[in-house]
């Protein structure tokens, strides 16, 4: 299944600045689809978008800044579910991630961002800021689960969402295989079970005693 994504920037407020951003990020998106990150240049983006290259450098500074801005825009289109249960929310989120990264251009985008972050401090800062903002936002589903008693008190939403996303990035960036629905289902089920068992509870007690038995599932969790 291929999901349709909005043209980057199209949901932003109106005005000249918004139109410029929309044109530029749409151009980056198209250039990535045609040639990948290795062939992406400010000059190509300027030519395709019709925006002067000096404007690109002034607003985004480098090609890595453009790519990170594109990732942020596109990720804003991934819905945050509220199904009424943590398991349902995790499954819905995992399926949305799978659909998002199912398209080759989306995989090339995340590859480009991670590659840029390894080489350029500005790109690394942009990538870190993206996850620092997105993970707590997505973690709202975990906060709701805590209020419903599905997971133990102190369950860290950021840790839960990090664990949910990790298999996708391992699949794409390490073993370099496409993501699919099976990966989404297995990731959601594993994270749900671990959350119920208290695996993501914040603790200030220091290193875990390796002789201690693993925690039992949270008494208030539903099956």
């Amino acid at each position: 299944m291929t999901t349709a994504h909005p043209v980057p920037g199209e949901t932003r407020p109106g005005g000249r600045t918004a139109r410029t951003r929309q044109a530029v990020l749409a151009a980056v998106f198209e250039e990535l689809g045609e040639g990948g990150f290795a062939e992406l240049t400010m000059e190509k983006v300027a030519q395709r978008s019709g925006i002067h290259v000096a404007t690109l450098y002034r607003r985004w500074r480098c090609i890595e800044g453009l790519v990170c801005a594109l990732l942020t825009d596109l990720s804003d289109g991934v819905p945050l579910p509220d199904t009424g249960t943590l398991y349902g929310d995790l499954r819905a989120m995992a399926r949305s991630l799978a659909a998002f990264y199912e398209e080759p251009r989306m995989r090339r985008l995340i590859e480009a961002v991670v590659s840029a972050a390894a080489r350029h401090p500005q790109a690394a800062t942009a990538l870190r800021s993206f996850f620092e903002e997105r993970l707590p936002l997505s973690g709202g589903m975990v906060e709701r689960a805590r209020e419903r008693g599905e997971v133990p008190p102190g369950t860290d939403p950021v840790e839960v969402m990090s664990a949910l996303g990790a298999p996708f990035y391992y699949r794409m960036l390490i073993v370099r295989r496409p993501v699919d629905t099976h990966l989404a289902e297995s990731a959601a089920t594993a994270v749900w079970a671990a959350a119920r068992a208290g695996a993501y509870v914040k603790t200030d007690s220091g290193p875990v005693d390796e002789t201690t038995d693993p925690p039992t599932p949270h008494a208030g969790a539903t099956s």
Side-chain angles (χ1 to χ4, degrees):
M1 178 183 68
T2 300
T3 55
H5 297 280
V7 175
E10 70 177 6
T11 59
R12 302 282 178 177
R16 182 177 180 181
T17 298
R19 290 193 298 271
T20 296
R21 179 184 177 87
Q22 176 181 345
V24 169
L25 296 187
V28 175
F29 190 69
E30 294 301 323
E31 288 291 335
L32 279 173
E34 292 184 5
F37 182 70
E39 298 182 20
L40 187 64
T41 67
M42 291 293 235
E43 289 72 22
K44 286 183 177 180
V45 173
Q47 182 176 11
R48 183 182 287 268
S49 66
I51 304 300
H52 198 282
V53 69
T55 300
L56 303 187
Y57 279 107
R58 183 172 65 252
R59 291 190 57 184
W60 289 278
R61 298 190 179 184
C62 60
I63 204 68
E64 290 79 17
L66 276 172
V67 171
C68 288
L70 175 62
L71 176 63
T72 298
D73 265 43
L74 291 174
S75 296
D76 284 345
V78 177
L80 300 179
D82 186 1
T83 65
T85 68
L86 178 60
Y87 183 51
D89 287 350
L90 290 172
R91 288 186 69 205
M93 174 61 76
R95 284 177 170 269
S96 292
L97 288 173
F100 184 79
Y101 289 124
E102 185 179 37
E103 297 182 26
R105 183 159 35 187
M106 298 302 173
R107 293 196 298 274
R108 284 196 290 270
L109 173 61
I110 192 63
E111 289 170 358
V113 172
V114 172
S115 174
R119 294 179 291 108
H120 299 282
Q122 180 182 356
T125 298
L127 181 61
R128 184 166 54 252
S129 296
F130 165 76
F131 280 108
E132 287 176 350
E133 294 174 3
R134 184 71 184 181
L135 285 175
L137 180 64
S138 304
M141 65 181 70
V142 181
E143 295 174 359
R144 294 192 299 267
R146 286 189 312 211
E147 294 172 357
R148 292 190 295 257
E150 293 182 80
V151 294
T155 298
D156 187 345
V158 171
E159 291 297 320
V160 173
M161 300 314 300
S162 296
L164 183 66
F168 292 91
Y169 299 115
Y170 175 82
R171 176 75 66 88
M172 290 185 295
L173 301 173
I174 305 301
V175 299
R176 304 189 69 79
R177 292 169 51 201
V179 300
D180 51 30
T181 303
H182 176 72
L183 176 65
E185 292 290 339
S186 63
T189 300
V191 171
W192 173 68
R196 292 174 68 235
Y200 308 114
V201 174
K202 283 184 177 179
T203 175
D204 297 323
S205 59
V208 175
D209 182 356
E210 295 183 357
T211 64
T212 303
D213 291 334
T216 56
H218 178 46
T222 56
S223 59

